[in-house]
Amino acid sequence: TSNAYLDDREFRRSLLYAINREGILKGEILGGADADQSRVISGPFPRGANENDPIAYAYNTSIEPVAYDPRLAKVLMLITNSKLKMQYEKRKEPVPPMPKLTLGVPNYEAARVAGQAIVEQWKLIGIAADLVVLDRVPGPGEMPNIDILYLTASIWEPATDAERLFGIGSPAQSSNQFIVQNLGQLSAARNWREVRQSCQDLHTLVAAHLPVLPLWQIGESFAYRNEISGISKKPLGLYQDLQKWRYRIP
């Protein structure tokens, strides 16, 4: 839902600085296990396992994930309070109190655990928040009691998934003029260089304006029997090139 605080970019930035993403990822999501492909990210696209990962082309490596800094988060929150106070007093309107935020999470364990940790960390800097567990992920316009939605998205092809994330009717539909313009440029891209540049520009815009709060990427892996051949060494999807798989009877 829209409110004066969430509409303010610096307040959204304070929410991000207040989240110990590294701690939640390693301690809660991964349970202390070491996973090379799972890491904190600074934008909407996966960084991949390494710079040679085919899916990493959309990730702008020049933008580092913001570090956990609850002190800075508190400062940004106070700046937002001061800014809104000046704006509303200038209009001779009552200053809205900081609302209690509601964070909606899908009803599965990893989301519930991460959501609870996020809510508790927001409370540490003075932002009241409640966790709401959702049995069904609501669509756009269906979240009257949810301020922020925790969502996991599978990104297989950033060039086409960008519209699915930020376009009309998407979970994170953005009205930001720069992001809207960038989506148009991406859809009109005529070659690979333009596609890559548009995706990395979108990463830059998302990191700057924060229509979403980027958290982390989770690497996926699978095991297969030795009798199966034809599986790609670095598949983008579980059943990639399925028609080429062959099974050898022991």
Side-chain angles (χ1 to χ4, degrees):
T1 56
S2 178
N3 65 57
Y5 286 85
L6 283 176
D7 288 344
D8 186 89
R9 180 175 62 177
E10 298 311 319
F11 183 75
R12 298 194 300 273
R13 195 169 298 282
S14 76
L15 294 177
L16 188 59
Y17 273 109
I19 303 173
N20 185 355
R21 295 179 291 167
E22 192 81 26
I24 295 174
L25 174 61
K26 292 184 176 180
E28 304 292 346
I29 304 298
L30 300 177
D34 185 22
D36 293 338
Q37 298 182 47
S38 301
R39 63 190 69 182
V40 172
I41 55 176
S42 61
F45 303 125
R47 186 164 188 165
N50 53 57
E51 61 182 12
N52 296 319
D53 193 324
I55 204 171
Y57 74 87
Y59 193 91
N60 191 336
T61 56
S62 68
I63 302 176
E64 293 293 332
V66 300
Y68 172 54
D69 193 337
R71 291 186 179 181
L72 179 55
K74 183 73 173 181
V75 170
L76 290 171
M77 185 184 69
L78 295 175
I79 290 174
T80 301
N81 285 335
S82 177
K83 186 194 317 182
L84 290 177
K85 182 179 179 181
M86 291 178 59
Q87 290 175 357
Y88 278 81
E89 287 181 348
K90 186 176 182 179
R91 299 200 300 256
K92 298 182 179 180
E93 297 177 2
V95 181
M98 181 181 298
K100 175 183 283 190
L101 299 180
T102 54
L103 174 64
V105 300
N107 192 11
Y108 61 90
E109 184 177 6
R112 294 193 302 268
V113 169
Q116 188 61 50
I118 291 170
V119 163
E120 294 302 321
Q121 290 172 5
W122 284 343
K123 290 178 181 179
L124 291 177
I125 66 165
I127 298 177
D130 286 330
L131 186 71
V132 177
V133 178
L134 306 169
D135 291 325
R136 182 182 68 86
V137 176
E142 298 179 350
M143 301 183 292
N145 299 317
I146 302 297
D147 294 304
I148 300 175
L149 177 65
Y150 177 100
L151 194 63
T152 301
S154 295
I155 304 296
W156 301 111
E157 177 45 70
T160 55
D161 287 337
E163 184 70 27
R164 182 169 62 89
L165 288 174
F166 300 105
I168 297 174
S170 66
Q173 177 176 333
S174 177
S175 59
N176 181 282
Q177 61 176 332
F178 301 108
I179 292 178
V180 171
Q181 182 180 13
N182 177 271
L183 291 174
Q185 292 172 343
L186 179 58
S187 65
R190 296 169 296 179
N191 54 57
W192 179 250
R193 183 185 63 81
E194 292 180 356
V195 168
R196 182 175 182 272
Q197 188 61 55
S198 292
C199 285
Q200 294 198 7
D201 287 346
L202 180 58
H203 181 158
T204 302
L205 290 169
V206 170
H209 297 279
L210 295 177
V212 298
L213 304 180
L215 296 176
W216 44 70
Q217 69 174 33
I218 303 293
E220 294 183 336
S221 59
F222 65 92
Y224 61 92
R225 299 177 65 90
N226 291 332
E227 292 83 359
I228 301 177
S229 62
I231 298 177
S232 173
K233 291 183 179 180
K234 295 182 178 181
L236 293 178
L238 180 59
Y239 296 107
Q240 180 177 321
D241 298 328
L242 178 62
Q243 69 276 11
K244 298 180 181 179
W245 293 10
R246 297 293 182 268
Y247 180 76
R248 177 176 56 83
I249 298 177

